[in-house]
Every structure is written in structure tokens, then in C-alpha cells.
């Protein structure tokens, strides 16, 4: 093959790859906004634990890996890798998905994915890469027409569970009563939150 023909083939292949763009391999794609309806738990004090209701003002966002804002996506890979990928957003997104998301297809009706979603709270900056660290990642599983999204923050004692059939979620935070108390403070409250999620469009 002549050098000119080889160069033409390479250029054409590159142009076709750019034209196709990035398409997620995940079976999911939607983001969700989840709003609390009931919140309760325990306040901790020196004399014991008091069962209380809290104001249900919590909001959670389930962000699909394909919808992470551009600034954060570019910071999820090293500058060297981004440069090797030509600073091309589609290629960077594809590499982020390849290295983060793990998909297992058991059958046409049962598919499981790890790290295809990330959870953030309302005070987490969606543009910051720290919002999409591994301890904010979630697993998603589809069974027939329904699916679940489950998040577990191992180092913070937080869990989040969403079911698509009911549209409901349950969230829990263990609090920090078990930690050493200081200055008459006996730990963060233990919290349970219940509410519903809807697709979220930005």
C-alpha cells in the first residue's frame, strides 16, 4: 500500500470515528432527581438516643456515567491520558466508561452494571471530579422491564436504594454516634429518608 493511500485510509478512519461519536454501552441513560417525603431518625446525647422526625428537605441526584459534566469527565483521567486521546471529549468519555463501568449480561432480561451511576447530594458540586469518586458510585440492575439502583458509601455509612417500578427510594445514614465524642457532642444523627425519584433533565 502506498504512503498516500495509507494516509488517506487513516484519515478516513479517523473522520468516521469522530463522526460516529460516543455512545454509552450501558443499558441505562437517564438521570434522576430524588426528593424526600419523610425523614426521621435518632438524635444522640449523653443520656441516650431520642427518636425524632426531621424536615424532609433532602434531595439526591442519580447521574448516569454518560451525563457527567465535561469538566469533571476530563479530570477523571490523568492529563497524560487526556492528551493521548487528543483532548477529544467523546474519546475521553469512552475511556472513562471503559475503566469505571463493569457490565455483566446474564440474559436478555437480567443485566447488572457497576459504576454506571453516581449519586450526589444537593450541596455537591456537579462540576467537581470529587463528586464522581468511587465511593459515590452505584450499581444498577435490570430485570425484565424494571430496574434497581443501589449506592453504598462504605467509608461514610450511607446507603441509597431506588426501584423503578415504584419510583420510590430509601436512604439511610448511620451517623457517628459510634465515634469518640468531643466537647459534649455525641455524634451526627442517624437518619432514614423516604421519597420518590423522577427523570431529571438538565
Amino acid at each position: 500500500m502506498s504512503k498516500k493511500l495509507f494516509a488517506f485510509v487513516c484519515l478516513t478512519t479517523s473522520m468516521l470515528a469522530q463522526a460516529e461519536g460516543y455512545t454509552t454501552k450501558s443499558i441505562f441513560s437517564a438521570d434522576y432527581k430524588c426528593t424526600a417525603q419523610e425523614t426521621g431518625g435518632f438524635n444522640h446525647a449523653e443520656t441516650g438516643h431520642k427518636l425524632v422526625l426531621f424536615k424532609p428537605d433532602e434531595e439526591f441526584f442519580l447521574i448516569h456515567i454518560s451525563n457527567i459534566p465535561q469538566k469533571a469527565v476530563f479530570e477523571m483521567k490523568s492529563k497524560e491520558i487526556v492528551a493521548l486521546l487528543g483532548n477529544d471529549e467523546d474519546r475521553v468519555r469512552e475511556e472513562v466508561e471503559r475503566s469505571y463501568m463493569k457490565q455483566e449480561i446474564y440474559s436478555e432480561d437480567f443485566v447488572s452494571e457497576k459504576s454506571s451511576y453516581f449519586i450526589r447530594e444537593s450541596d455537591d458540586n456537579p462540576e467537581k471530579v470529587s463528586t464522581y469518586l468511587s465511593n459515590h458510585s452505584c450499581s444498577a440492575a435490570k430485570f425484565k422491564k424494571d430496574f434497581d439502583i443501589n449506592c453504598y458509601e462504605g467509608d461514610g455509612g450511607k446507603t441509597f436504594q431506588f426501584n423503578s417500578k415504584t419510583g420510590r427510594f430509601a436512604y439511610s445514614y448511620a451517623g457517628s454516634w459510634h465515634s469518640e465524642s468531643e466537647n459534649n457532642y455525641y455524634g451526627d444523627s442517624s437518619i432514614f429518608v423516604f421519597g420518590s425519584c423522577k427523570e431529571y433533565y438538565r
Side-chain angles (χ1 to χ4, degrees), residues 53-66:
L53 291 176
F54 301 112
K55 182 180 179 181
D57 54 2
E58 293 89 354
E59 285 186 335
F60 305 92
F61 298 85
L62 297 171
I63 309 300
H64 190 260
I65 194 168
S66 64

Side-chain angles (χ1 to χ4, degrees), residues 65 68 72-77 85 91-101 118:
I65 194 168
I68 295 172
V73 161
F74 272 75
E75 293 180 6
M76 291 174 80
K77 307 305 296 182
L85 297 171
R91 294 178 70 190
V92 173
R93 286 189 179 278
E94 189 172 19
E95 177 61 20
V96 165
E97 182 175 301
R98 186 197 66 77
S99 57
Y100 278 74
M101 188 183 81
F118 294 84

Side-chain angles (χ1 to χ4, degrees), residues 93-196:
R93 286 189 179 278
E94 189 172 19
E95 177 61 20
V96 165
E97 182 175 301
R98 186 197 66 77
S99 57
Y100 278 74
M101 188 183 81
K102 307 301 178 188
Q103 185 184 73
E104 294 183 350
I105 302 175
Y106 298 97
S107 70
E108 184 179 342
D109 289 333
F110 183 27
V111 180
S112 175
E113 295 180 351
K114 292 182 179 179
S115 300
S116 58
Y117 275 94
F118 294 84
I119 187 169
R120 71 173 177 86
E121 297 183 40
S122 56
D123 56 352
D124 294 327
N125 186 342
E127 300 285 333
K128 293 190 69 172
V129 67
S130 57
T131 300
Y132 308 99
L133 295 178
S134 59
N135 65 331
H136 287 189
S137 67
C138 309
S139 61
K142 172 183 173 291
F143 184 72
K144 294 184 178 180
K145 295 181 179 180
D146 304 321
F147 63 89
D148 293 320
I149 298 175
N150 297 292
C151 315
Y152 175 66
E153 187 179 319
D155 59 354
K158 298 178 181 179
T159 66
F160 184 97
Q161 300 163 313
F162 167 62
N163 177 265
S164 69
K165 188 173 184 179
T166 63
R168 301 172 187 163
F169 77 86
Y171 166 88
S172 67
Y173 170 47
S176 58
W177 177 78
H178 54 289
S179 302
E180 184 177 2
S181 60
E182 294 182 2
N183 300 321
N184 295 318
Y185 179 72
Y186 296 93
D188 296 345
S189 300
S190 301
I191 299 173
F192 296 93
V193 183
F194 307 100
S196 59

Side-chain angles (χ1 to χ4, degrees), residues 34-47:
C34 304
T35 305
Q37 295 166 340
E38 296 287 343
T39 304
F42 283 90
N43 281 333
H44 308 293
E46 183 180 13
T47 56

